[in-house]
């Protein structure tokens, strides 16, 4: 009976935490605070170092929940992306999502090496962990702050944030493998990248088309279309991951395919996924907050702040300026795109991979990523709307923002 009581208590406490995250959104919206930061803080307050006194150190569960949540978030982002809006920005977005991530990691690495006293491979791993912009943070903050960006700028940010996660994940996994095994070669890295990207794209397009056919041909009972699409997205993600392809790229492309084809119950699918991604984000951020240790964070907060400032003020702007140089963006658009390099759960999620495989400095990577995300959400998240208006990339809204 004691074990049954423990399960009931776990369900009760988990539901209370999620409900607290949902209710805190009202307060955060009123004061303009970045919602994702509020969810992190709730997890930290509920942890063993906060008043909640909950002991949680299950990295495997966090990685599982994070994978599912990110897959749903990327799928939902793809579902809302229209071909017409991304066709003109596909080239610059792809350059930012690949070369931009690599440049950001390379420019951030020296700061990580000297501030954290790491070797070059470990410093590159820190750079790779914090290099990608977070789709959830970008989508959510643009929406909640009621911004209506210039079509080209908004589409570039959405496509970049939705497609750069697979490259950052690949880069992180390659460096983790190199540190743990000490063996790799440039040819091996290039082959792995090509295989993961190409196979992920193929599986995503095929999976998306199959879901469209199934939706339109099967007479599902009312209300089951949306759960079918959500689970189909996770099936595509799982098949791609098992095949050693990029599951995140596959699920994002599948979302784009489904969102741009006429299907049954499209509105109910979008509404259901909106709710599912909100819940996934809350659960993921609360778990990541539970996993953090305030005492441990204090030991590395100084060097981590140096890495965060170099990332936001040097690495990201330089990468954006170099990547967008061949394209016709004016300086205001480039500055705004550089400043909207929001870091979110993806960085902390990637930092949990070294913990999962048991690298020697795994907790240092996690703590640095955590501090970088908090500073990014505070500085960039809070100033996103003023920056858009100051740089004249925000269009006036006829309707009131949310």
């Amino acid at each position: 009976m004691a074990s049954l009581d423990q399960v009931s208590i776990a369900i009760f406490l988990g539901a209370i935490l999620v409900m607290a995250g949902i209710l805190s959104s009202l307060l955060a919206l009123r004061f303009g605070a970045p919602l994702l930061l509020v969810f992190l803080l709730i997890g930290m307050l509920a942890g063993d170092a906060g008043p909640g006194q909950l002991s949680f150190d299950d990295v495997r569960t966090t990685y599982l929940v994070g994978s599912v949540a990110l897959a749903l978030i990327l799928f939902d982002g793809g579902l809302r992306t229209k071909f017409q809006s991304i066709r003109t920005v596909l080239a610059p977005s792809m350059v930012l999502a690949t070369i931009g991530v690599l440049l950001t990691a390379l420019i951030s690495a020296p700061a990580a090496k000297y501030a954290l006293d790491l070797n070059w491979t470990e410093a590159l791993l820190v750079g790779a962990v914090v290099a990608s912009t977070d789709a959830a943070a970008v989508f959510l903050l643009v929406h909640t702050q009621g911004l209506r960006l210039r079509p080209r700028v908004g589409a570039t940010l959405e496509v970049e944030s939705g497609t750069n996660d697979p490259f950052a994940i690949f880069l992180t996994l390659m460096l983790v493998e190199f540190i743990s095994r000490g063996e790799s070669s440039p040819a091996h890295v290039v082959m792995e990248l090509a295989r993961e990207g190409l196979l992920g794209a193929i599986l995503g397009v095929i999976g998306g088309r199959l879901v469209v056919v199934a939706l339109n041909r099967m007479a599902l009972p009312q209300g089951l279309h949306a759960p079918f699409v959500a689970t189909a997205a996770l099936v595509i993600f799982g098949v791609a991951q098992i095949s050693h392809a990029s599951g995140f790229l596959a699920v994002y492309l599948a979302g784009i395919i489904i969102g741009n084809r006429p299907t049954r119950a499209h509105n109910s699918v979008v509404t259901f996924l909106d709710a599912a991604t909100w819940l996934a984000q809350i659960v993921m951020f609360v778990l990541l907050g539970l996993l953090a240790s305030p005492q441990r964070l204090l030991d590395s907060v100084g060097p981590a702040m140096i890495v965060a400032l170099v990332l936001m003020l040097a690495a990201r702007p330089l990468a954006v300026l170099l990547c967008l140089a061949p394209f016709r963006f004016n300086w205001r658009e480039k500055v705004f795109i550089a400043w909207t390099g929001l870091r979110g759960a993806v960085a902390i999620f990637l930092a949990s991979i070294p913990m999962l495989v048991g690298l020697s400095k795994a907790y240092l990577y996690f703590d640095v990523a955590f501090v970088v995300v908090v500073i990014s959400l505070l500085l960039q998240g809070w100033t996103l709307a003023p920056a858009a208006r100051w740089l004249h990339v925000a269009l006036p809204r006829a309707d009131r923002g949310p």
Side-chain angles (χ1 to χ4, degrees), residues 66-88:
S67 297
V68 172
L70 286 177
L72 287 176
I73 290 165
L74 287 171
F75 180 74
D76 183 57
L79 201 66
R80 297 168 186 272
T81 302
K82 299 303 177 187
F83 279 135
Q84 292 84 353
S85 64
I86 69 170
R87 190 175 296 150
T88 56

Side-chain angles (χ1 to χ4, degrees), residues 8 25 45 99 151 167 175-176 183 220 314-315 356:
S8 301
S25 64
L45 289 173
I99 298 173
F167 189 77
L175 289 167
V176 167
E183 56 181 17
L220 290 172
L356 193 63

